[in-house]
Amino acid sequence: MNELTSFFILAFSSLFTLVNPIGLSPVFLSMVEHCNDNERRKIALKGVFTALVVLIIFIFLGRLVFSFFGITVSGFKIAGGILFFRTGIQMLESRVPRTRSTPKEETETETKENIAYTPIGIPLIAGPGAISSETIFSSDTDHWEYKLVLLGVIGLVMGLTYIIFRMADHLTQRFGTIGLRITQRIMGLILMVIAVQFVIDGIEPIILEWIQSLRK
C-alpha cells in the first residue's frame, strides 16, 4: 500500500466518521418532518453543498490561518485530537454534539431555505471536527497530489452524506433506532483511535525537538 492510498484511507475514515451521516439521519428527519419529499431533497442538496464549499475553503486557507495566528501543525493536531476524542465519546453515548446545533439555532431557523444552510450545512455536517480534520490534513502536506486526494475525499463523503440523508426514512425503518445507534457507537470508537493517533503525531515532534535541545 503506497502513501497516497494510506492518506486516502485515513482522510476518508476520519471525515466520514466526523460527519457521521448515518448517526445524523434521525436528526435530519426531525428537522424536515413537515416537508414533502421534493423539499427534503432540496434541503439535503443545499445543506451538503454548503458543507462542501466550507470544507474546500478550509483546505486552501489552512496554511493562511496557521501563519496568521502563529499556530503550528503539531499544536493543531493535539487540539484536533482532543476535539475528535470528545466527539467520539459523544458518539459512543449516542448524543448529538452541542457544537453542531443548539436549541436556539434550531428555533431561529424557521424557514425551509435557512434550515438547509444552517444548522444542517453548518454546523451539522461541516462541524468543528470536520473542519479541523481537513485543515490538519491540508496543512500536513504541500504536494498537489494529496490536495487532489483530499478534494476527492470531501466530494465522496459529501456525496455519501446526501445519499444517506435521502435514504434516511428507509434506513430508520430497516435498521431501527437501535441499529443506527450501534453503528454510531462503532464509528465513535474508530474516531477515538484516530484522535489518539493525532495527539501522538502532534506530541512526537515536540518531544524530539526537546530532546535535541537537551543534547546541545
Side-chain angles (χ1 to χ4, degrees):
M1 185 182 298
N2 58 40
E3 292 184 3
L4 208 59
T5 304
S6 300
F7 180 78
F8 170 80
I9 293 173
L10 179 60
F12 174 78
S13 59
S14 298
L15 184 59
F16 186 80
T17 306
L18 283 163
V19 174
N20 188 22
I22 297 175
L24 288 180
S25 294
V27 181
F28 173 76
L29 285 177
S30 68
M31 291 182 178
V32 297
E33 60 181 347
H34 299 300
C35 304
N36 59 43
D37 187 66
N38 187 50
E39 289 171 338
R40 290 185 182 188
R41 180 184 59 80
K42 289 182 178 179
I43 290 172
L45 184 61
K46 289 179 180 178
V48 167
F49 182 76
T50 300
L52 175 69
V53 172
V54 169
L55 292 175
I56 289 176
I57 288 174
F58 271 90
I59 282 183
F60 295 102
L61 293 184
R63 288 280 186 185
L64 181 62
V65 172
F66 279 21
S67 60
F68 182 80
F69 290 102
I71 302 171
T72 63
V73 175
S74 295
F76 204 83
K77 278 187 175 181
I78 295 171
I82 294 172
L83 177 62
F84 300 166
F85 195 86
R86 176 175 175 269
T87 304
I89 291 176
Q90 291 174 326
M91 291 171 68
L92 280 173
E93 296 174 350
S94 295
R95 291 189 289 119
V96 177
R98 292 299 299 275
T99 51
R100 288 194 161 182
S101 60
T102 63
K104 184 178 179 181
E105 287 175 333
E106 292 177 7
T107 54
E108 286 180 350
T109 315
E110 295 178 353
T111 65
K112 297 173 182 178
E113 185 76 16
N114 289 337
I115 287 176
Y117 304 122
T118 178
I120 291 177
I122 308 170
L124 199 65
I125 301 174
I131 292 173
S132 300
S133 173
E134 296 315 288
T135 304
I136 290 172
F137 283 124
S138 175
S139 302
D140 219 13
T141 179
D142 291 321
H143 298 291
W144 63 269
E145 296 99 331
Y146 289 86
K147 301 283 188 184
L148 288 178
V149 169
L150 204 51
L151 287 172
V153 166
I154 292 175
L156 178 59
V157 172
M158 292 301 103
L160 290 173
T161 300
Y162 174 74
I163 293 172
I164 291 171
F165 276 8
R166 291 291 297 143
M167 296 174 59
D169 273 322
H170 177 72
L171 288 173
T172 303
Q173 293 173 4
R174 187 171 184 82
F175 297 103
T177 304
I178 294 177
L180 293 176
R181 291 292 179 250
I182 291 174
T183 304
Q184 184 173 341
R185 287 188 172 98
I186 293 173
M187 295 174 68
L189 182 60
I190 294 173
L191 180 59
M192 290 172 71
V193 175
I194 295 174
V196 171
Q197 188 61 52
F198 266 48
V199 173
I200 293 173
D201 292 342
I203 293 176
E204 185 177 12
I206 298 174
I207 294 177
L208 291 176
E209 185 179 344
W210 179 69
I211 292 174
Q212 290 176 355
S213 65
L214 289 178
R215 290 177 178 175
K216 293 180 180 178

